[in-house]
């Protein structure tokens, strides 16, 4: 019973806390992630989509339009 925005914020906080040492992320699309999480929370079908709102990291060998790879 946690919102997608809250889960996203927690994930972003962990990235902020540990990415300096791990260097796991080249690019973090913070605003896009939070906007998408808010859209997931607003979707009335969310209760029927069990993985809706689960954060996902995309490996940098996949090109994403508008995002530095």
């Amino acid at each position: 019973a946690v919102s997608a925005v809250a889960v996203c914020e927690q994930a972003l906080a962990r990235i902020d806390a540990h990415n300096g040492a791990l260097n796991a992320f080249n690019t973090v699309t913070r605003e896009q992630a939070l906007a998408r999480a808010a859209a997931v929370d607003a979707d009335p079908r969310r209760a029927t989509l069990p993985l809706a709102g689960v954060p996902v990291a995309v490996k940098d060998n996949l090109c994403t339009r508008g995002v530095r790879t």
Side-chain angles (χ1 to χ4, degrees), residues 23-51:
N23 198 26
F25 294 92
N26 290 328
T27 303
V28 177
T29 57
R30 180 176 312 279
E31 293 78 21
Q32 291 173 336
L34 289 168
R36 181 66 185 123
V40 167
D41 283 340
D43 190 332
R45 300 171 300 151
R46 182 169 189 236
T48 63
L49 303 170
L51 295 178

Side-chain angles (χ1 to χ4, degrees), residues 3 5 8-9 12-13 15 28-30 32-33 41 49 56 66:
S3 73
V5 170
C8 184
E9 288 171 339
L12 291 169
I15 291 169
V28 177
T29 57
R30 180 176 312 279
Q32 291 173 336
D41 283 340
L49 303 170
V56 174

Side-chain angles (χ1 to χ4, degrees), residues 1-19:
V2 170
S3 73
V5 170
V7 172
C8 184
E9 288 171 339
Q10 291 172 356
L12 291 169
R14 288 186 57 88
I15 291 169
D16 290 343
H18 301 288
N19 197 48

